[in-house]
């Protein structure tokens, strides 16, 4: 929160207090039970109240119209379960970091990423709201990477303060998506740091790239940074495993430098492949597409 923002509203403070109270209750439980219970609570209680189940169905209907009804209903339950687990993990601090700190880097881009760290070189790491996107950040930080991340402040300012504190505990620095934060991020990148950006949400001023065959306005910022500073743009994902608690850190090959829109489309394609392989791990509650697919 920057210095010019107003104080949180009463409604913001009440909502944030309720959430922090829930997190305190969960933290009293052993880690495995805590994460599993958070997933069940998000799926069975919060998601229906928030209208997320309907939104998941709508998005799946647009992106995957041939998906069997039984699979849709499975995803309606499993998508918010992953979100609940991710929140519980983020708020578990050191316990979460102990789970991810020694995870090996896998995938065709892992050796390249390790070489960049060894040489003290910068990179733009691109990801989506998939699995637990803070797991790879914690894993890289524990391995000695200089890894910063750009984040979008929450509308609820009281909750935002809690959230930033939690994700700062996983790895620093963080850069707010505002003028001051962007300036700090650019200095960090020029100084040899790596920066992580999640670029899978609808961006009104973005390029008309596609995702699941539908137009999905996509920010070009990651590709533009990579091109401007002549650093690689590397997709990276933390894939939740079958036990619901552990992760695989998967690094894709660097996206070949070309035009910013082409590079952003290639990232969308990489993310789509990952989502199709793990449909329950992407945040299908996002309003990724602002219009329905044409009939035909």
């Amino acid at each position: 929160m920057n210095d010019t923002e107003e104080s949180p509203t009463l409604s913001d403070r009440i909502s944030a207090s309720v959430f922090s109270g829930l997190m305190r209750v969960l933290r009293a439980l052993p880690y495995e039970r805590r994460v599993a219970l958070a997933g069940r609570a998000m799926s069975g209680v919060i998601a229906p109240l928030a209208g997320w189940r309907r939104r998941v169905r709508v998005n799946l209907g647009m992106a995957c119209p041939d998906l069997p009804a039984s699979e849709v209903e499975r995803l309606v339950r499993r998508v918010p379960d992953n979100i609940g687990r991710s929140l519980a993990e983020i708020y578990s601090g050191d316990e979460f970091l102990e789970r991810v700190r020694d995870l090996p880097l896998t995938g065709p881009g892992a050796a390249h990423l390790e070489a960049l760290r060894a040489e003290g070189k910068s990179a733009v790491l691109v990801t989506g709201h998939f699995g637990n996107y803070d797991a790879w950040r914690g894993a890289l930080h524990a391995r000695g990477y200089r890894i910063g991340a750009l984040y979008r402040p929450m509308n609820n300012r009281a909750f935002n303060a809690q959230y930033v504190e939690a994700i700062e505990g996983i790895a620093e620095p963080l850069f707010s998506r505002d003028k001051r934060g962007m300036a700090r991020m650019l200095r960090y990148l020029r100084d040899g740091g790596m920066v992580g950006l999640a670029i899978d949400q609808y961006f009104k001023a973005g390029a008309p790239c596609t995702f699941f065959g539908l137009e999905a306005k996509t920010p070009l910022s990651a590709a533009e940074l990579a091109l401007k500073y002549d650093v690689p743009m590397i997709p990276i994902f933390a894939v939740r495993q079958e036990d619901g608690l552990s992760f695989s850190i998967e690094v894709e090959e660097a996206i070949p430098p070309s035009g910013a829109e082409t590079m952003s489309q290639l990232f969308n394609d990489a993310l789509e492949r990952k989502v199709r392989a793990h449909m329950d791990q992407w945040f299908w509650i996002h309003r990724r597409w602002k219009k329905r697919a044409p009939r035909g």
Side-chain angles (χ1 to χ4, degrees), residues 236-247:
I236 183 169
F237 306 98
V239 181
R240 189 178 298 278
Q241 301 301 286
E242 288 296 322
D243 63 4
L245 296 165
S246 55
F247 297 90

Side-chain angles (χ1 to χ4, degrees), residues 8 43 75 82 100 102 107 113 143 167 189 196 285:
S43 179
L75 294 173
N82 178 65
V100 303
D102 296 321
L113 188 59
R143 296 169 74 95
I167 58 178
L189 187 66
I285 63 169

Side-chain angles (χ1 to χ4, degrees), residues 78-290:
R78 294 299 300 169
V79 168
D81 181 271
N82 178 65
I83 296 171
R85 286 172 180 265
S86 296
L87 281 172
E89 288 160 348
I90 290 168
Y91 278 80
S92 292
D94 290 342
E95 289 177 280
F96 177 53
L97 289 175
E98 284 299 316
R99 295 271 175 159
V100 303
R101 64 181 306 116
D102 296 321
L103 292 177
L105 304 186
T106 64
H112 182 197
L113 188 59
E114 290 277 35
L116 291 170
R117 181 197 63 80
E119 297 167 12
K121 293 183 177 179
S122 303
V124 174
L125 306 184
V126 282
T127 193
H129 293 79
F130 174 90
N132 184 332
Y133 50 92
D134 278 306
W136 63 260
R137 229 172 31 95
L140 293 187
H141 181 73
R143 296 169 74 95
Y145 281 74
R146 291 183 61 210
I147 176 68
L150 186 69
Y151 76 96
R152 178 184 179 276
M154 303 286 185
N155 292 331
N156 182 325
R157 293 187 292 275
F159 176 76
N160 184 69
Q162 298 178 13
Y163 180 70
V164 170
E165 182 179 1
I167 58 178
E168 277 182 340
I170 294 170
E172 292 187 84
L174 294 176
F175 309 109
S176 177
R177 196 185 293 268
D178 55 29
K179 186 175 181 180
R180 181 187 301 177
M182 293 294 289
R184 289 180 57 231
M185 185 184 73
L186 295 180
R187 287 196 298 271
Y188 188 76
L189 187 66
R190 289 195 300 266
D191 190 40
M194 296 183 182
V195 296
L197 294 85
I199 57 172
D200 61 333
Q201 289 181 289
Y202 179 87
F203 185 60
K204 185 176 181 179
C209 298
T210 59
F211 187 57
F212 279 82
L214 304 173
E215 182 180 295
K217 290 294 189 68
T218 302
L220 301 181
S221 51
E224 290 171 343
L225 282 174
L227 292 170
K228 180 176 181 179
Y229 293 101
D230 191 25
V231 299
M233 175 176 167
I234 303 176
I236 183 169
F237 306 98
V239 181
R240 189 178 298 278
Q241 301 301 286
E242 288 296 322
D243 63 4
L245 296 165
S246 55
F247 297 90
S248 172
I249 309 301
E250 301 181 6
V251 187
E252 302 284 333
E253 291 182 347
I255 293 173
S258 57
E261 186 167 338
T262 298
M263 294 171 68
S264 300
Q265 180 63 63
L266 288 172
F267 168 75
N268 280 4
D269 296 342
L271 176 61
E272 181 177 333
R273 289 192 297 271
K274 197 66 67 177
V275 174
R276 287 187 182 275
H278 308 278
M279 289 285 284
D280 56 344
Q281 296 197 37
W282 189 59
F283 283 24
W284 287 93
I285 63 169
H286 285 167
R287 291 187 174 90
R288 186 65 181 99
W289 304 277
K290 292 294 187 177

